[in-house]
């Protein structure tokens, strides 16, 4: 796992903030690929250190709360934050969370993975099993491998390019 240099992370935070401000406000339709990008500097700095910062609208508030409450044991990593940062990020994630779907779905517990949600499986049902295992993809959680504009919050199908 490669930790990005803090300065690069900060620069990225600024770029993402500026891009967020320039994004046109999308129509509030049901298409996740076309929703406006929201951002928060702490979230970008802390949650894009190991992977790209998954947009808040990809999970319901309950899932974000559970993820933020378990950062010390985060998918085999320790992603702990001090209480003030964790709180600011939790508020940001909850405020912009997915409000359309229940987080429990069937298990009764909030899902901790976007890739386990029903909508994710449905949007990706045409992706072949071997595609997920390509060296340049490795994991379904590696959104930016195929969504070329994921970093700016754009998941529009027109910007999907499966690597070779
Ligand atoms: C120390 C490294 C590290 C940091 C920092 C980190 N994560 Fe993660 N995160 C991981 C790893 C490792 C995975 C598992 C990736 C995989 O399965 O391919 C993961 C996975 C996730 C997933 C599930 C992706 C999916 O759908 O499968 C979410 C959601 C997530 N992280 C949110 C966050 C949030 C929010 C923050 C900031 C508070 C954060 N992460 C910071 C290492 C980190
Ligand atoms: C292996 C490549 C790949 C990876 C990795 C991947 N996706 Fe996708 N994604 C696709 C494809 C292909 C589609 C379907 C595009 C279409 O409908 O033509 C899609 C569709 C979507 C859509 C619907 C877009 C629309 O315009 O309707 C969303 C939202 C989305 N993906 C989010 C994610 C997120 C979030 C992640 C990471 C957690 C992710 N994807 C990881 C390939 C990928």
């Amino acid at each position: 796992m490669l930790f990005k240099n803090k300065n690069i992370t900060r620069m990225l935070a600024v770029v993402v903030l500026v891009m967020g401000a320039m994004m046109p406000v999308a129509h509030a339709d049901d298409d996740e690929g076309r929703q406006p990008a929201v951002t928060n500097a702490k979230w970008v700095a802390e949650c894009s250190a190991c992977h790209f910062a998954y947009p808040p609208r990809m999970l319901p508030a309950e899932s974000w709360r559970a993820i933020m409450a378990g950062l010390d044991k985060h998918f085999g990593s320790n992603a702990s934050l001090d209480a003030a940062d964790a709180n600011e990020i939790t508020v940001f994630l909850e405020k912009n969370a997915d409000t359309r779907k229940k987080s429990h779905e069937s298990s009764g517990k909030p899902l901790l993975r976007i890739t386990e949600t029903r909508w994710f499986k449905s949007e990706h049902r045409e992706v072949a099993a071997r595609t997920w295992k390509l060296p340049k993809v490795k994991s379904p959680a590696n959104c930016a491998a195929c969504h070329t504009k994921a970093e700016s919050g754009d998941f529009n199908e027109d910007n999907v390019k499966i690597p070779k």
Side-chain angles (χ1 to χ4, degrees):
M1 186 75 52
L2 226 116
F3 242 107
K4 279 192 202 133
N5 173 306
K6 272 271 171 195
N7 287 330
I8 295 180
T9 308
R10 286 210 187 91
M11 273 165 55
L12 238 157
V14 171
V15 170
V16 171
L17 274 171
V18 169
M19 284 182 7
M22 292 186 327
M23 288 279 290
V25 177
H27 298 286
D29 60 8
D30 204 43
D31 185 345
E32 344 235 351
R34 291 159 217 265
Q35 303 228 332
V38 289
T39 195
N40 168 285
K42 282 228 167 79
W43 165 67
V44 174
E46 304 297 345
C47 303
S48 65
C50 304
H51 46 67
F52 112 98
Y54 301 111
R57 69 176 191 277
M58 300 288 168
L59 283 172
E62 210 180 333
S63 291
W64 289 123
R65 264 197 297 281
I67 289 166
M68 294 303 292
L71 285 179
D72 56 328
K73 293 193 189 81
H74 181 76
F75 304 97
S77 298
N78 185 347
S80 298
L81 295 173
D82 68 54
D85 287 355
N87 191 50
E88 180 178 334
I89 295 170
T90 307
V91 168
F92 163 75
L93 290 169
E94 284 188 31
K95 184 168 163 252
N96 297 292
D98 184 353
T99 52
R100 290 169 301 149
K101 294 142 196 145
K102 285 213 174 68
S103 67
H104 328 320
E105 302 204 335
S106 56
S107 72
K109 274 199 270 172
L111 292 172
L112 303 180
R113 283 188 181 271
I114 298 159
T115 49
E116 282 172 3
T117 61
R118 202 172 291 157
W119 73 257
F120 184 93
K121 290 178 187 165
S122 146
E123 292 285 5
H124 297 89
R125 63 186 173 267
E126 280 164 26
V127 178
R130 61 179 166 76
T131 303
W132 297 121
K133 294 186 188 124
L134 288 172
K136 286 188 183 147
V137 178
K138 287 195 202 83
S139 158
N142 190 8
C143 320
C146 307
H147 293 276
T148 58
K149 297 194 174 160
E151 311 267 348
S152 59
D154 179 349
F155 286 84
N156 194 319
E157 59 193 73
D158 301 340
N159 298 318
V160 173
K161 191 162 181 280
I162 304 213
K164 297 238 155 63

